[in-house]
Amino acid sequence: MQPDEKARELGVSFEPQTPGYLNLCIRSGNQLITSGHVSDLKGVLGKDLTVAQGYEAAKDCARKVLRSVYNAHGTLNGLRVLKVLGCVYSAGDFTDQHLVINGCSDLLHEIFGKTTDGYHARSALGFAALPTGAAVEVEAIFE
């Protein structure tokens, strides 16, 4: 199954997007670089929210990133995931950011393959705050 079809099956929307203040996905040579996409879920991991809730928020971010990539490129087919940066709104003693961002990585693995085009480099970092109070923000680079 091709990535476009798999993504649709997993709930990724490819509806056209209205251009905003910043470019959600920009092409540079053979790369597609996304802006940060925030989760609809608000709150602080390790205080208001559980790792399981954060995992779902990261998956929500991944769906939004994929929508932007699709809208910029016209397809997900033939792409390779290079890098993911996951930002987690974290309580001071919260140290499971990597488990939260697995929500994003697991979705990308499911769509692009865990050991092939979806096998990506990643950083998962904790932040004292994120825009709009979002629980998670994710950006990515595709080739």
Side-chain angles (χ1 to χ4, degrees):
M1 185 179 304
Q2 289 289 318
D4 282 357
E5 186 180 352
K6 186 67 175 177
R8 281 187 182 94
E9 182 181 280
L10 295 171
V12 177
S13 167
F14 295 139
E15 296 297 317
Q17 296 162 301
T18 303
Y21 180 71
L22 299 172
N23 196 338
L24 294 174
C25 181
I26 190 165
R27 180 184 309 280
S28 179
N30 290 333
Q31 295 185 344
L32 296 163
I33 303 164
T34 74
S35 291
H37 288 65
V38 296
S39 63
D40 290 335
L41 182 67
K42 312 278 189 217
V44 181
L45 274 292
K47 178 182 172 194
D48 309 318
L49 304 172
T50 66
V51 169
Q53 290 172 302
Y55 180 96
E56 291 303 319
K59 192 181 283 190
D60 175 45
C61 292
R63 286 187 190 100
K64 292 175 180 182
V65 163
L66 291 169
R67 179 181 178 193
S68 293
V69 168
Y70 183 92
N71 275 272
H73 187 60
T75 185
L76 300 181
N77 298 339
L79 295 180
R80 179 175 161 218
V81 186
L82 297 181
K83 171 75 174 165
V84 169
L85 171 62
C87 308
V88 180
Y89 188 0
S90 301
D93 60 349
F94 184 76
T95 59
D96 286 334
Q97 289 84 2
H98 60 294
L99 299 177
V100 169
I101 301 305
N102 281 350
C104 172
S105 292
D106 287 348
L107 183 64
L108 295 174
H109 289 158
E110 202 168 349
I111 293 169
F112 294 98
K114 184 170 181 168
T115 61
T116 54
D117 292 333
Y119 190 58
H120 55 274
R122 186 185 86 183
S123 298
L125 305 173
F127 286 80
L130 290 176
T132 71
V136 178
E137 181 173 349
V138 170
E139 63 181 51
I141 302 172
F142 294 77
E143 180 179 56

